[in-house]
Amino acid sequence: MIDLSNKTALVTGGSRGIGRDIAISLAQAGCNVAVSGRDLDTLKSTTDEIENLGRKALAIRCDVAKENDVAEMFRNFLEVFPVMDILVNNAGITKDGLIVRMKEADWDDVIDTNLKSTFLCCKEAARPMMKARCGKIINITSVVGLIGNAGQANYTASKAGMIGLTKTLAREFASRSINVNAVAPGFIATAMTEKLPDTERLIANIPMARFGKPSDIANAVLFLASPLSDYITGQVLTVDGGLVM
Ligand code: NAP
C-alpha cells in the first residue's frame, strides 16, 4: 500500500483521461491535489472526487503552453499548499498529419503544449523543490517518443524531447534528492485515442491484446511519486501491454 498522506501534488491536464485518474489515485493514497486545465468548469468533477476522499483539492485555470499562465499557476498553488512534493506534467495534445502537409502552427501548438510546458513547469517547480531538498517530477511522454510514428512528427518530437529533458533534469536535480522520471504510455483508452481509425489493427500489435486503462498509467505514476522509487531517476517507464520492448 502506497501512503502519500499529507503530500501535495500538481497534475496538469487533470480534467479528464489519464490526468484525472492520476489526480484521483494520488488523492486515494492520501495526497492533497491541485489539477489544472484550460477550462475551470471541466476540472470540477475531478476536484469534487478528490474532496469526497477527504483531501484538499484545488482547480487552477492554466494554458500550460503560456509562460505567464504557468507562473500564475505556481503562485496559486504555493499560496494554498505550503510545498510542492509531486509534479506530474500530463497535459498534452495531438495534431496529426504527414509532415508534407503539416502546418507550422500545428507543429508549434503541439511542441508548445507538450514540450515547452514541461520545461516551464519544471523550471517553476525547481525553486520550491530545491529549497525543500526533495521532490518527485513525473513527465507523461509516449512510446512513440521512443520509436517514432508516421503522421505524428510534431507529437513524437515533443515526446522524445520530454525524454531528453527528463534525463537532463534528473542529472541537474539528483544532488537535491529530486527524482525526475517519465512514464511512456502505449495506447490508452481516452478521448485522445477515441478518434483513432482501425483500432483492431493497432490491438493486433499489442502482446496483451488490449488498449490500456488510465488507471494503468496512474499506478505507474503512484510508484514513481512514492518513496518506493527513491533510488530511481532519469528513467522512462513504459506502460504499453508489451507494445515496445
Ligand atoms: P485527453 O483525454 O485529451 O486529456 C488531455 C488533458 O490535457 C485534458 O485535461 C486537457 O484539458 C489538458 N490540456 C490540453 N491542452 C492543454 C493546455 N494547453 N493547457 C492545459 N491543459 C491542457 O488526453 P489523455 O489521453 O488523457 O493524455 C494525457 C497525456 O498522456 C498526454 O500528455 C498524452 O500525450 C499522453 N499519452 C496518451 C496516450 C493515450 O493513448 N491516450 C498515449 C501516450 C501518451 P483542457 O482541454 O480542458 O485544457
Side-chain angles (χ1 to χ4, degrees), residues 23-98:
I24 291 166
S25 293
L26 289 169
Q28 282 166 342
C31 219
N32 297 313
V33 186
V35 284
S36 71
R38 287 168 297 180
D39 176 21
L40 262 188
D41 289 344
T42 58
L43 292 165
K44 192 172 171 346
S45 87
T46 309
T47 51
D48 282 351
E49 201 153 333
I50 293 167
E51 280 167 355
N52 286 341
L53 291 162
R55 313 292 173 229
K56 200 168 190 173
L58 177 66
I60 307 174
R61 202 214 65 78
C62 171
D63 180 342
V64 286
K66 295 187 176 148
E67 187 173 23
N68 289 342
D69 274 28
V70 171
E72 184 61 26
M73 170 170 70
F74 275 77
R75 264 195 299 277
N76 278 354
F77 182 96
L78 291 168
E79 268 168 28
V80 175
F81 298 114
V83 289
M84 179 176 289
D85 296 301
I86 299 156
L87 166 66
V88 184
N89 288 303
N90 164 78
I93 57 166
T94 52
K95 289 201 174 177
D96 296 350
L98 294 172

XYZ file of all heavy atoms in Angstrom, residues 23-98:
570
model
N -4.704 12.113 -10.744
C -5.052 13.005 -9.619
C -5.847 12.247 -8.553
O -5.568 12.365 -7.349
C -5.844 14.196 -10.144
N -6.809 11.445 -8.996
C -7.657 10.722 -8.036
C -6.861 9.617 -7.335
O -6.996 9.410 -6.126
C -8.926 10.201 -8.743
C -9.814 11.405 -9.112
C -9.701 9.225 -7.861
C -10.912 11.125 -10.091
N -5.985 8.950 -8.058
C -5.141 7.912 -7.424
C -4.233 8.519 -6.361
O -4.029 7.927 -5.294
C -4.264 7.217 -8.456
O -5.053 6.494 -9.319
N -3.652 9.678 -6.670
C -2.793 10.346 -5.679
C -3.616 10.699 -4.440
O -3.163 10.516 -3.301
C -2.152 11.601 -6.280
C -1.061 11.362 -7.347
C -0.701 12.668 -8.058
C 0.189 10.754 -6.718
N -4.847 11.182 -4.660
C -5.711 11.536 -3.519
C -6.081 10.283 -2.719
O -6.105 10.306 -1.481
C -6.971 12.251 -4.024
N -6.344 9.184 -3.417
C -6.660 7.921 -2.707
C -5.492 7.471 -1.829
O -5.683 6.837 -0.804
C -7.015 6.819 -3.722
C -8.425 6.956 -4.265
C -8.675 6.102 -5.498
O -7.737 5.659 -6.165
N -9.951 5.886 -5.823
N -4.270 7.837 -2.247
C -3.078 7.467 -1.455
C -2.820 8.467 -0.329
O -1.832 8.319 0.398
C -1.867 7.368 -2.372
N -3.653 9.507 -0.232
C -3.537 10.440 0.896
C -3.072 11.835 0.532
O -2.952 12.711 1.400
N -2.821 12.067 -0.747
C -2.248 13.333 -1.200
C -3.299 14.433 -1.319
O -4.447 14.164 -1.679
C -1.716 13.056 -2.606
S -0.208 13.806 -3.008
N -2.917 15.669 -1.054
C -3.732 16.826 -1.406
C -3.328 17.241 -2.822
O -2.128 17.336 -3.108
C -3.495 17.964 -0.411
C -3.917 17.557 0.989
O -4.993 17.005 1.186
N -3.055 17.803 1.975
N -4.326 17.488 -3.687
C -4.005 17.568 -5.121
C -4.605 18.804 -5.800
O -5.796 19.090 -5.644
C -4.523 16.305 -5.861
C -4.055 16.309 -7.320
C -4.057 15.026 -5.182
N -3.770 19.502 -6.565
C -4.254 20.561 -7.465
C -4.237 20.026 -8.888
O -3.305 19.296 -9.268
C -3.357 21.782 -7.360
N -5.282 20.381 -9.645
C -5.330 19.988 -11.057
C -5.508 21.245 -11.904
O -6.142 22.200 -11.477
C -6.492 19.003 -11.352
C -6.167 17.606 -10.871
C -7.807 19.477 -10.766
N -4.916 21.203 -13.101
C -5.056 22.368 -13.970
C -5.514 21.949 -15.360
O -5.390 20.791 -15.754
C -3.731 23.129 -14.055
O -2.799 22.388 -14.799
N -6.065 22.950 -16.064
C -6.525 22.757 -17.436
C -6.966 24.119 -17.954
O -6.965 25.104 -17.206
N -7.370 24.160 -19.232
C -7.725 25.465 -19.802
C -9.128 25.897 -19.432
O -9.498 27.048 -19.633
C -7.585 25.425 -21.326
C -6.142 25.406 -21.781
C -6.034 25.073 -23.231
N -6.541 23.732 -23.507
C -6.570 23.155 -24.687
N -6.131 23.812 -25.737
N -7.030 21.927 -24.842
N -9.945 24.961 -18.877
C -11.342 25.280 -18.577
C -11.655 24.880 -17.134
O -11.640 23.686 -16.806
C -12.228 24.520 -19.577
C -13.701 24.717 -19.281
O -14.044 25.700 -18.602
O -14.499 23.860 -19.719
N -11.925 25.882 -16.298
C -12.155 25.602 -14.869
C -13.337 24.666 -14.649
O -13.287 23.778 -13.791
C -12.436 26.912 -14.123
C -11.284 27.591 -13.376
C -11.797 28.749 -12.566
C -10.505 26.601 -12.498
N -14.422 24.859 -15.441
C -15.647 24.068 -15.228
C -15.385 22.569 -15.352
O -15.909 21.768 -14.583
C -16.735 24.463 -16.244
C -17.279 25.850 -15.943
O -17.046 26.333 -14.809
O -17.893 26.448 -16.847
N -14.551 22.187 -16.333
C -14.341 20.747 -16.559
C -13.424 20.130 -15.493
O -13.331 18.911 -15.392
C -13.748 20.464 -17.958
O -12.526 21.175 -18.084
C -14.690 20.866 -19.071
N -12.755 20.978 -14.705
C -11.894 20.440 -13.627
C -12.708 20.064 -12.394
O -12.238 19.336 -11.519
C -10.828 21.473 -13.231
C -9.758 21.757 -14.290
C -8.994 23.028 -13.931
C -8.798 20.581 -14.407
N -13.973 20.580 -12.329
C -14.757 20.447 -11.095
C -15.046 18.994 -10.727
O -15.018 18.632 -9.545
C -16.063 21.248 -11.235
C -16.771 21.404 -9.907
C -17.944 22.341 -10.009
C -18.822 22.378 -8.783
N -18.697 21.381 -7.776
N -15.299 18.155 -11.733
C -15.648 16.771 -11.380
C -14.435 16.074 -10.743
O -14.581 15.227 -9.858
C -16.173 15.995 -12.588
O -15.131 15.430 -13.308
N -13.229 16.454 -11.157
C -12.028 15.871 -10.527
C -11.870 16.400 -9.100
O -11.633 15.616 -8.170
C -10.756 16.206 -11.345
O -10.971 15.862 -12.700
C -9.553 15.435 -10.817
N -12.007 17.714 -8.927
C -11.802 18.269 -7.568
C -12.906 17.787 -6.623
O -12.639 17.527 -5.450
C -11.715 19.814 -7.577
O -12.820 20.341 -8.286
C -10.420 20.281 -8.185
N -14.137 17.622 -7.138
C -15.226 17.089 -6.281
C -14.843 15.700 -5.769
O -15.026 15.386 -4.595
C -16.536 16.966 -7.071
C -17.228 18.321 -7.229
O -16.767 19.296 -6.574
O -18.196 18.402 -8.000
N -14.310 14.870 -6.675
C -13.971 13.499 -6.278
C -12.804 13.483 -5.270
O -12.802 12.684 -4.331
C -13.611 12.672 -7.522
C -13.765 11.200 -7.238
C -14.074 10.375 -8.489
O -14.650 10.898 -9.453
O -13.716 9.191 -8.461
N -11.856 14.383 -5.461
C -10.716 14.469 -4.511
C -11.245 14.882 -3.129
O -10.863 14.307 -2.103
C -9.652 15.464 -5.027
C -9.001 14.927 -6.308
C -8.590 15.737 -3.957
C -8.163 15.941 -7.071
N -12.155 15.873 -3.118
C -12.708 16.326 -1.822
C -13.545 15.239 -1.163
O -13.530 15.083 0.058
C -13.524 17.608 -2.025
C -12.618 18.822 -2.128
C -13.311 20.075 -2.632
O -14.502 20.001 -3.007
O -12.627 21.130 -2.675
N -14.268 14.462 -1.981
C -15.061 13.344 -1.417
C -14.174 12.309 -0.726
O -14.640 11.566 0.132
C -15.873 12.646 -2.517
C -17.046 13.501 -2.950
O -17.452 14.407 -2.219
N -17.579 13.248 -4.140
N -12.908 12.259 -1.135
C -11.955 11.338 -0.491
C -11.380 11.941 0.795
O -10.528 11.337 1.451
C -10.809 11.007 -1.456
C -11.184 10.149 -2.663
C -10.124 10.250 -3.763
C -11.362 8.693 -2.244
N -11.803 13.180 1.106
C -11.339 13.830 2.335
C -10.026 14.576 2.167
O -9.379 14.941 3.157
N -9.628 14.821 0.917
C -8.374 15.546 0.676
C -8.679 16.974 0.242
O -9.755 17.278 -0.237
C -7.549 14.881 -0.439
C -7.410 13.404 -0.331
C -6.560 12.953 0.856
N -6.640 11.513 0.946
C -6.912 10.835 2.055
N -7.105 11.464 3.190
N -6.979 9.520 2.030
N -7.648 17.812 0.351
C -7.758 19.177 -0.138
C -7.579 19.159 -1.665
O -6.664 18.470 -2.170
C -6.660 20.013 0.510
C -6.901 21.483 0.490
C -5.882 22.136 1.424
C -6.200 23.580 1.653
N -5.333 24.176 2.662
N -8.435 19.908 -2.370
C -8.338 19.951 -3.838
C -8.312 21.404 -4.291
O -8.882 22.278 -3.642
C -9.532 19.243 -4.454
N -7.659 21.620 -5.411
C -7.601 22.969 -5.973
C -7.647 22.854 -7.495
O -6.904 22.057 -8.076
C -6.285 23.643 -5.530
C -5.986 25.036 -6.071
C -6.991 26.062 -5.544
C -4.553 25.453 -5.680
N -8.537 23.652 -8.117
C -8.596 23.694 -9.589
C -7.957 24.999 -10.046
O -8.281 26.067 -9.529
C -10.043 23.627 -10.051
N -7.045 24.899 -10.999
C -6.357 26.106 -11.489
C -6.514 26.191 -13.005
O -6.157 25.244 -13.721
C -4.848 26.077 -11.133
C -4.635 25.833 -9.635
C -4.186 27.376 -11.559
C -3.162 25.651 -9.241
N -7.034 27.343 -13.487
C -7.112 27.520 -14.933
C -5.732 27.893 -15.449
O -5.096 28.831 -14.923
C -8.108 28.639 -15.278
C -8.644 28.557 -16.696
C -8.906 29.894 -17.314
N -7.679 30.658 -17.493
C -6.785 30.459 -18.468
N -6.985 29.543 -19.382
N -5.673 31.187 -18.533
N -5.244 27.172 -16.427
C -3.892 27.452 -16.935
C -3.714 26.824 -18.304
O -3.959 25.634 -18.477
C -2.852 26.864 -15.962
S -1.162 26.903 -16.596
N -3.294 27.633 -19.264
C -2.830 27.081 -20.541
C -1.336 26.852 -20.373
O -0.551 27.807 -20.315
C -3.117 28.073 -21.675
C -2.660 27.542 -23.029
O -1.834 26.597 -23.065
O -3.121 28.066 -24.060
N -0.941 25.585 -20.294
C 0.463 25.268 -19.952
C 1.458 25.673 -21.040
O 2.665 25.652 -20.808
C 0.661 23.769 -19.619
C 0.096 23.417 -18.268
C 0.132 22.874 -20.719
N 0.938 26.047 -22.214
C 1.842 26.494 -23.280
C 2.260 27.948 -23.079
O 3.097 28.460 -23.827
C 1.163 26.321 -24.637
N 1.640 28.635 -22.082
C 1.897 30.074 -21.900
C 2.671 30.333 -20.616
O 2.213 29.978 -19.520
C 0.570 30.832 -21.877
C -0.163 30.749 -23.197
C -1.372 31.637 -23.214
C -2.014 31.594 -24.604
N -3.459 31.768 -24.547
N 3.809 30.994 -20.749
C 4.706 31.211 -19.606
C 4.007 31.940 -18.453
O 4.155 31.555 -17.290
C 5.932 32.006 -20.073
C 6.992 32.140 -18.989
C 8.281 32.780 -19.501
O 8.248 33.506 -20.509
O 9.322 32.536 -18.864
N 3.231 32.994 -18.783
C 2.572 33.761 -17.703
C 1.543 32.920 -16.970
O 1.398 33.016 -15.748
C 1.888 35.020 -18.261
C 2.920 36.048 -18.684
O 4.078 35.969 -18.275
N 2.508 36.986 -19.525
N 0.796 32.108 -17.727
C -0.202 31.217 -17.104
C 0.485 30.243 -16.144
O 0.004 29.988 -15.046
C -0.931 30.384 -18.173
C -2.126 31.095 -18.773
O -2.105 32.342 -18.805
O -3.073 30.405 -19.210
N 1.624 29.695 -16.576
C 2.327 28.701 -15.741
C 2.851 29.367 -14.463
O 2.701 28.825 -13.361
C 3.465 28.012 -16.538
C 4.327 27.159 -15.630
C 2.872 27.157 -17.660
N 3.419 30.566 -14.607
C 3.924 31.279 -13.419
C 2.778 31.538 -12.443
O 2.912 31.337 -11.227
C 4.582 32.587 -13.847
N 1.619 31.951 -12.977
C 0.444 32.227 -12.132
C -0.066 30.936 -11.472
O -0.464 30.936 -10.309
C -0.645 32.850 -13.032
C -1.912 33.294 -12.337
C -1.683 34.373 -11.284
O -0.710 35.129 -11.390
O -2.493 34.420 -10.334
N -0.021 29.822 -12.219
C -0.465 28.526 -11.662
C 0.390 28.163 -10.439
O -0.131 27.726 -9.412
C -0.356 27.440 -12.739
C -0.556 26.015 -12.213
S -0.708 24.797 -13.531
C 0.954 24.752 -14.197
N 1.694 28.341 -10.551
C 2.575 28.001 -9.416
C 2.353 28.963 -8.248
O 2.390 28.541 -7.086
C 4.050 27.954 -9.860
C 4.403 26.611 -10.434
C 4.016 26.262 -11.720
C 5.074 25.667 -9.676
C 4.302 25.010 -12.242
C 5.371 24.404 -10.185
C 4.983 24.077 -11.474
N 2.103 30.264 -8.564
C 1.800 31.211 -7.470
C 0.549 30.758 -6.728
O 0.521 30.703 -5.501
C 1.596 32.633 -8.034
C 2.856 33.482 -7.963
C 2.551 34.960 -8.168
N 1.958 35.238 -9.453
C 2.650 35.395 -10.583
N 3.961 35.330 -10.571
N 2.042 35.642 -11.724
N -0.506 30.412 -7.500
C -1.774 29.942 -6.900
C -1.540 28.712 -6.040
O -2.036 28.620 -4.921
C -2.779 29.534 -7.989
C -3.505 30.714 -8.560
O -3.351 31.823 -8.082
N -4.283 30.470 -9.602
N -0.798 27.771 -6.583
C -0.554 26.506 -5.876
C 0.138 26.786 -4.540
O -0.285 26.303 -3.490
C 0.315 25.572 -6.733
C 0.569 24.233 -6.106
C -0.203 23.130 -6.430
C 1.586 24.063 -5.164
C 0.029 21.883 -5.840
C 1.818 22.830 -4.562
C 1.036 21.738 -4.897
N 1.206 27.595 -4.595
C 2.031 27.794 -3.389
C 1.366 28.733 -2.379
O 1.783 28.788 -1.228
C 3.429 28.270 -3.778
C 4.258 27.184 -4.492
C 5.519 27.771 -5.119
C 4.626 26.027 -3.544
N 0.301 29.440 -2.804
C -0.499 30.212 -1.833
C -1.360 29.288 -0.984
O -1.640 29.558 0.171
C -1.421 31.188 -2.576
C -0.801 32.568 -2.770
C -1.604 33.394 -3.754
O -2.833 33.167 -3.860
O -1.001 34.232 -4.429
N -1.792 28.173 -1.609
C -2.719 27.255 -0.930
C -1.976 26.115 -0.229
O -2.331 25.706 0.867
C -3.746 26.693 -1.949
C -4.643 25.645 -1.311
C -4.571 27.832 -2.540
N -0.939 25.596 -0.906
C -0.185 24.471 -0.345
C 1.210 24.956 0.071
O 1.823 25.744 -0.648
C -0.048 23.351 -1.382
C -1.365 22.758 -1.820
C -1.824 22.908 -3.116
C -2.150 22.039 -0.931
C -3.028 22.349 -3.524
C -3.355 21.475 -1.331
C -3.799 21.633 -2.622
N 1.717 24.486 1.192
C 2.998 25.004 1.687
C 4.201 24.597 0.842
O 5.170 25.345 0.713
C 3.103 24.402 3.094
C 2.212 23.199 3.087
C 1.127 23.479 2.104
N 4.153 23.406 0.261
C 5.271 22.899 -0.548
C 4.708 22.149 -1.752
O 3.521 21.803 -1.768
C 6.160 21.893 0.244
C 6.968 22.577 1.311
C 5.317 20.771 0.832
N 5.567 21.893 -2.740
C 5.155 21.022 -3.846
C 6.002 19.749 -3.769
O 7.203 19.787 -4.026
C 5.356 21.703 -5.193
C 4.947 20.801 -6.346
S 5.067 21.610 -7.951
C 3.723 22.761 -7.861
N 5.367 18.650 -3.385
C 6.098 17.384 -3.289
C 6.159 16.674 -4.639
O 7.150 16.007 -4.944
C 5.412 16.453 -2.269
C 5.452 17.027 -0.861
O 6.562 17.264 -0.360
O 4.370 17.264 -0.279
N 5.063 16.771 -5.404
C 4.941 15.963 -6.633
C 4.424 16.853 -7.771
O 3.438 17.582 -7.583
C 3.934 14.802 -6.405
C 4.425 13.878 -5.279
C 3.696 14.009 -7.695
C 3.312 13.089 -4.587
N 5.091 16.800 -8.904
C 4.611 17.495 -10.113
C 4.440 16.455 -11.212
O 5.390 15.730 -11.527
C 5.626 18.559 -10.561
C 5.417 19.123 -11.969
C 4.097 19.917 -12.060
C 6.595 20.025 -12.373
N 3.240 16.381 -11.788
C 3.013 15.470 -12.923
C 2.699 16.313 -14.160
O 1.654 16.976 -14.228
C 1.856 14.482 -12.639
C 1.729 13.488 -13.796
C 2.061 13.748 -11.324
N 3.625 16.311 -15.108
C 3.414 17.033 -16.374
C 2.677 16.102 -17.333
O 3.297 15.277 -18.014
C 4.764 17.467 -16.950
C 5.372 18.595 -16.156
O 4.745 19.645 -15.994
N 6.559 18.383 -15.628
N 1.349 16.246 -17.339
C 0.500 15.313 -18.094
C -0.215 15.974 -19.268
O -0.518 15.297 -20.252
C -0.536 14.705 -17.132
C -1.673 14.047 -17.866
O -1.542 12.928 -18.371
N -2.805 14.743 -17.984
N -0.494 17.279 -19.203
C -1.292 17.931 -20.260
C -0.642 17.688 -21.615
O 0.580 17.801 -21.750
C -1.394 19.428 -19.987
N -1.448 17.350 -22.597
C -0.875 17.109 -23.920
C -1.953 17.074 -24.988
O -3.133 16.840 -24.698
N -1.532 17.345 -26.221
C -2.459 17.317 -27.365
C -1.789 16.616 -28.551
O -0.574 16.456 -28.578
C -2.885 18.742 -27.820
C -1.638 19.594 -28.164
C -3.746 19.416 -26.765
C -1.967 20.872 -28.923
N -2.627 16.237 -29.521
C -2.111 15.773 -30.819
C -2.694 16.663 -31.917
O -3.821 17.160 -31.778
C -2.554 14.323 -31.125
O -3.971 14.234 -30.972
C -1.892 13.315 -30.214
N -1.954 16.876 -32.970
C -2.472 17.497 -34.208
C -1.756 16.773 -35.337
O -0.730 17.217 -35.836
C -2.193 18.999 -34.227
C -3.041 19.777 -33.236
C -3.163 21.247 -33.551
C -4.148 21.887 -32.565
N -4.271 23.328 -32.753
N -2.306 15.609 -35.711
C -1.580 14.668 -36.582
C -1.661 15.036 -38.061
O -2.619 15.673 -38.512
C -2.155 13.253 -36.404
C -1.945 12.711 -34.986
O -1.200 13.334 -34.217
O -2.531 11.657 -34.669
N -0.696 14.568 -38.809
C -0.673 14.710 -40.265
C 0.717 14.379 -40.765
O 1.689 14.509 -40.024
N 0.781 13.935 -42.011
C 2.106 13.670 -42.587
C 2.882 14.979 -42.702
O 2.278 16.045 -42.893
C 1.957 13.018 -43.966
C 1.327 11.617 -43.932
C 1.033 11.129 -45.352
C 2.234 10.625 -43.201
